[in-house]
Amino acid sequence: MRILVANVNTTQSMTDSIAAQARAAAAPGTEIIGITPRFGADSCEGNFESYLAAIAVMDAVVNYPEPFDAVIQAGYGEHGREGLQELLDVPVVDITEAAASTAMFLGHKYSVVTTLDRAVPLIEDRLKLAGLEARCASVRASGMAVLELEEYPERAVEAIVSQAEQAVHDDKAEVIVLGCGGMAGLDEQIRQRTGVPVVDGVAAAVTIAESLVRLGLSTSKVRTYATPRPKTVIGWPITAAQPAEAAR
């Protein structure tokens, strides 16, 4: 089984970190391929960058030259999952939905700890769109920018732990969700500090994607995520014909 894990930004070191976390969660026999968009921002922390990432990830995935069995979109709260589902005939798993749905198996309420405060409304909207907001106690910002997670890892852990502890004590959260793909690998440290389950979206998405592939399930194509109708697309390499050829 081969799973593409698509970073939503252009920072290669973050792609490498996300792919490493995905490999740690993958079952034997699952090949994880980390891909980085060829254009876009070096981090995604707002609507402009998120919409740009949606286009860039679709471009990167449909132009991947080898067969693959599933795709993970590794950006928390980012746009684009729906477009990928239209373009592909293999399962597409977004880490936002994977993390939140997994958290609901582990406690009554979960809280998300993300990067900057400006990302909070985007995440709240994505959870609402996915029907996952009813059991979300809060979405909290650590105040750390995405790129600072790698640059200042110790400070990042302290900032995330502080917000996680407040979520547990003040918001009555029973599970913490890491609200950024760049937080991959921090779950164990935060779990030890807070004493509650901590869900990393990349790891959760891998296990969900593997399960869907093994069950022989993929996105319904009868209505919402039907393959795009053939149209003339100017100045963009994606065509409706390419995805079926790229996927197994």
Side-chain angles (χ1 to χ4, degrees):
M1 183 189 307
R2 176 182 290 157
I3 298 176
L4 301 187
V5 180
N7 184 9
V8 297
N9 64 50
T10 58
T11 301
Q12 184 61 44
S13 61
M14 195 165 292
T15 301
D16 296 340
S17 176
I18 290 169
Q21 180 71 356
R23 292 186 186 104
T30 297
E31 181 185 10
I32 299 293
I33 305 293
I35 60 174
T36 305
R38 64 186 177 89
F39 60 88
D42 57 0
S43 66
C44 293
E45 294 163 322
N47 282 290
F48 164 70
E49 294 151 2
S50 179
Y51 280 111
L52 181 60
I55 299 170
V57 168
M58 285 188 283
D59 171 73
V61 169
V62 301
N63 285 295
Y64 182 76
E66 301 295 331
F68 53 88
D69 300 290
V71 175
I72 292 171
Q73 179 172 290
Y76 207 97
E78 307 303 338
H79 302 92
R81 182 265 299 163
E82 298 91 341
L84 281 174
Q85 285 184 296
E86 288 188 6
L87 290 167
L88 302 177
D89 61 3
V90 298
V92 178
V93 181
D94 169 67
I95 67 170
T96 313
E97 298 169 12
S101 59
T102 299
M104 294 195 300
F105 287 105
L106 305 174
H108 179 63
K109 291 272 189 176
Y110 68 91
S111 282
V112 178
V113 179
T114 189
T115 51
L116 301 180
D117 183 66
R118 65 176 297 163
V120 170
L122 278 71
I123 292 172
E124 291 174 337
D125 284 352
R126 294 302 294 180
L127 293 173
K128 185 175 293 186
L129 181 65
L132 296 165
E133 85 285 0
R135 287 172 61 185
C136 180
S138 59
V139 180
R140 287 178 165 268
S142 66
M144 300 290 292
V146 172
L147 297 181
E148 290 179 328
L149 298 174
E150 286 191 333
E151 189 175 358
Y152 308 108
E154 293 182 2
R155 191 199 305 175
V157 170
E158 292 303 319
I160 296 166
V161 166
S162 174
Q163 292 301 317
E165 289 176 336
Q166 291 180 59
V168 172
H169 297 145
D170 299 339
D171 307 332
K172 307 305 179 186
E174 298 173 6
V175 183
I176 296 298
V177 169
L178 301 182
C180 174
M183 293 179 180
L186 299 181
D187 50 327
E188 185 57 36
Q189 297 179 67
I190 297 164
R191 183 183 298 113
Q192 292 176 359
R193 296 281 298 276
T194 61
V196 301
V198 178
V199 180
D200 168 63
V202 174
V206 168
T207 59
I208 291 172
E210 288 178 323
S211 296
L212 292 173
V213 173
R214 290 193 181 100
L215 290 169
L217 297 174
S218 191
T219 307
S220 173
K221 292 292 185 178
V222 298
R223 191 182 186 192
T224 307
Y225 304 118
T227 300
R229 297 177 64 192
K231 295 182 181 180
T232 300
V233 180
I234 299 173
W236 191 13
I238 293 177
T239 69
Q242 281 181 306
E245 297 169 4
R248 268 186 199 133

